[in-house]
Amino acid sequence: MRAARMHAFNQPLVLEDVPIPEIEPNEVLIRVGAAGMCRTDVQLIDGYFRPYVESIFPLTLGHEIAGEIHKIGSLVPKSAGFEEGDQVVVVGGWGDETCRHCHEGNTQICPHGKWPGFGPYGGYAEYVPVPVQYLIKIDKRYKLKAEELAPLTDAGLTPYRGIKKLRDAGALGPDRVLAVFGVGGLGTYAIQYAKLLGGGATVVAFGRNAEKLEAAKELSADHVIDIKGKSLDDIRKELVRATGKGEIDAVIDCAGAEEMIKLGFGLLSVGAHYSSVGLVGDRINIPLFPFVAREYTYHGSFWGNYNDLSEVVALVEQGKVRHTVKPIRFEEINDTLDLCGPVMLSAAPWSNTNPQVIPSGDKPLELSPVAGVPSDR
C-alpha cells in the first residue's frame, strides 16, 4: 500500500510503498477513504511536540480518519455490530483502558495511550489497523462521503468538547456573551456549536481576516469583531457597540496564540470561563491577581472522546452543522502541508476549508460543497 511517512523532523514526508498492516484479533483493518490535514501534522513535522511526545521513526501521519471496514479480527464480537464494507470514522485517542481517565471514557487523555498518526500507522495511507472500540459506524442512509466525515474526528470534535465544558460549568445562557477566538477551521465549527449549545448566549466571533469574519456571520454568529491592529480599548468599545457590554462571560479559543489569550483575559467578566483548544502558541502569560480575585476559570480541553464524536456525527447526519472540504491527491500532500504555513505564526494562512487526503491517486482535485474545515491548532 502507499503511505506518506515521516522519517525525520523538518523534512518532507516520504511517499512510499509499504506492506499492508496485519491486524490483532481485536482490531479492524480500515481502508482509508479520506484523512483530514490538520495544523497538528505541520507541528509534528516541525518538532512542536518533541518536548512532550517521543517520536520513533518512521511515522505515518494522519489522525483524522474515515473509511470502510476491510477486514475484521477474529476476536471482534458479533455484538459490536460491524461488517466488512461498513462506513466508519475513527476515534483518535486510544487509551490503555486501565486508568481512571479511560474508565471515565476519556481515552484521549490517557497518560499511557497512543494516537493514530503519531506512530507507525495513520490516515495518510491506504489502510490503518484500529482497535474495534474506537470505531463509530456511519448510517449510510445519509450518503456522507469519507472526505466529509474525516475532519469531524478532530477539527469538528475538538471545539465541541471545549464548548461542552463551558456549558457544563454554567458559563453559558441568556444574557451571557460567548466569544469565539479564531475563525479558521475549529472556529467555524465552534460558532455553530455555540449557537446549538449556548442556551441563548450572544455569540461574538473575533478574528483578523475579513473574509473569515464574513463567513462567521453566515454561520450565525450574532456579531463579529475584527481585532487586527487594534488595542484592547478599541476592541472593548466595539464589543460595547455590538452587545451593550464591555466584557465577555465565556471564551472558546480556537487559536491559542499568546497575544489572543492576553486579549481574552483582558476582556473577561468576573467569574468568567475560558476554554482553550487551539495550539498556535506554546506559552500562557496572564496576570495572576485578576485571575484569582475575579475568580476566572481556565479550561484546557483536548480533542474529544467516543461519546463526543458520536454526538458530532449525529449533528452532521441531522444537517445541523455546515462545513466545507477541499479534497487533494495523495501526491499533493507535501505541497499542501507547505501551504499550511509556519507553526508559530498567529496569522498563519489557513483558509476556511480543510484539506482532505484521498488515497486514490487518480482522484481529481475538487471543491466539495459540504464538509469539514482545517484545524487552527
Side-chain angles (χ1 to χ4, degrees), residues 126-144:
E126 293 184 80
Y127 295 91
V128 60
V130 179
V132 66
Q133 62 268 36
Y134 298 108
L135 294 176
I136 295 174
K137 187 174 178 178
I138 303 301
D139 190 332
K140 289 189 175 182
R141 291 179 300 170
Y142 296 101
K143 302 186 186 304
L144 294 170

Side-chain angles (χ1 to χ4, degrees), residues 43-198:
Q43 291 174 308
L44 182 58
I45 294 168
D46 284 359
Y48 177 96
F49 298 105
R50 291 181 77 174
Y52 315 108
V53 180
E54 181 182 6
S55 296
I56 300 175
F57 298 117
L59 311 177
T60 304
L61 272 63
H63 56 276
E64 300 182 1
I65 305 169
E68 293 187 350
I69 292 178
H70 180 73
K71 183 179 180 181
I72 298 176
S74 60
L75 294 183
V76 173
K78 293 288 186 182
S79 59
F82 292 113
E83 297 180 354
E84 291 181 5
D86 281 347
Q87 188 178 27
V88 294
V89 293
V90 177
V91 181
W94 304 348
D96 65 8
E97 300 182 14
T98 63
C99 74
R100 66 181 177 90
H101 304 291
C102 289
H103 287 309
E104 292 171 354
N106 293 317
T107 57
Q108 82 284 2
I109 57 173
C110 173
H112 310 293
K114 60 182 180 179
W115 313 325
F118 282 75
Y121 305 118
Y124 291 5
E126 293 184 80
Y127 295 91
V128 60
V130 179
V132 66
Q133 62 268 36
Y134 298 108
L135 294 176
I136 295 174
K137 187 174 178 178
I138 303 301
D139 190 332
K140 289 189 175 182
R141 291 179 300 170
Y142 296 101
K143 302 186 186 304
L144 294 170
K145 299 178 182 178
E147 57 264 36
E148 298 170 335
L149 293 165
L152 301 179
T153 63
D154 184 2
L157 172 62
T158 299
Y160 182 76
R161 181 177 177 85
I163 291 179
K164 281 178 67 176
K165 287 194 172 189
L166 295 174
R167 180 199 63 186
D168 295 346
L172 307 181
D175 200 36
R176 307 284 183 91
V177 177
L178 168 55
V180 177
F181 283 0
V183 193
L186 272 70
T188 50
Y189 281 112
I191 291 164
Q192 298 175 80
Y193 299 146
K195 299 298 289 185
L196 289 168
L197 305 179

Side-chain angles (χ1 to χ4, degrees), residues 213-262:
L213 289 170
E214 189 60 35
K217 290 181 184 178
E218 295 175 3
L219 292 170
S220 300
D222 297 301
H223 307 282
V224 300
I225 294 178
D226 188 340
I227 65 172
K228 187 175 182 180
K230 296 175 182 175
S231 68
L232 175 61
D233 287 341
D234 290 338
I235 294 168
R236 190 185 305 279
K237 289 175 184 177
E238 289 201 34
L239 182 62
V240 171
R241 285 195 292 269
T243 68
K245 299 182 178 182
E247 295 179 322
I248 50 184
D249 303 294
V251 175
I252 177 74
D253 185 351
C254 299
E258 184 174 338
E259 291 304 313
M260 189 72 89
I261 295 172
K262 287 182 180 178

